[in-house]
Amino acid sequence: VQLVESGGGSVQAGGSLRLSCAASGHTYNFDYITWFRQAPGKKREGVAAIEVGGSQTYYADSVKGRFTISQGNDKNTVYLQMNNLKPEDTAMYYCAAGDPVPGIVAIIFRADEYNYWGQGTQVTVS
């Protein structure tokens, strides 16, 4: 499985960005795609997750109401629409694919539940 992120960039506070995560390869090997982010000196944290082919989504409290995760019609592309961006959203954003226990947010947002990772895309909010 290969994951490729795109869409990062630099924006001013209050602006918007849309990140994309394109999955290829054995895409039947996982049930969830999750966006994580990591700022310098900080732990990697889960931001938003989506059940592949399903409708269930999960969000970190820090992004609820501002970020929206969705998937394309082919189910192999996942988007993260980020609105009303804040300086504290500045981080490297990664998408990851895996099979965490469903329905438990704390587990879904654990990085070690995921076997496949993209290379990351930088988001900078000033």
Side-chain angles (χ1 to χ4, degrees):
V1 176
Q2 294 79 43
L3 302 173
V4 178
E5 303 99 333
S6 61
S10 297
V11 295
Q12 292 188 336
S16 299
L17 284 172
R18 188 175 84 152
L19 306 183
S20 299
C21 172
S24 61
H26 298 293
T27 56
Y28 51 81
N29 280 351
F30 51 85
D31 292 330
Y32 282 85
I33 289 182
T34 297
W35 285 97
F36 289 82
R37 67 185 181 187
Q38 188 167 20
K42 293 191 175 181
K43 187 179 177 182
R44 189 169 296 191
E45 62 172 350
V47 174
I50 190 164
E51 180 186 15
V52 177
S55 60
Q56 193 66 53
T57 57
Y58 303 87
Y59 295 94
D61 288 343
S62 58
V63 306
K64 279 181 183 175
R66 301 189 298 123
F67 290 12
T68 302
I69 191 170
S70 62
Q71 52 193 335
N73 291 334
D74 63 359
K75 310 303 182 188
N76 290 336
T77 303
V78 170
Y79 303 100
L80 185 67
Q81 178 67 44
M82 306 185 295
N83 297 329
N84 191 21
L85 282 160
K86 304 176 180 181
E88 51 263 43
D89 295 317
T90 295
M92 184 71 80
Y93 283 70
Y94 302 88
C95 65
D99 294 305
V101 174
I104 304 175
V105 175
I107 294 178
I108 289 170
F109 283 157
R110 276 175 48 177
D112 59 9
E113 294 287 328
Y114 294 83
N115 298 319
Y116 308 104
W117 291 83
Q119 81 289 349
T121 186
Q122 178 68 37
V123 171
T124 303
V125 185
S126 59

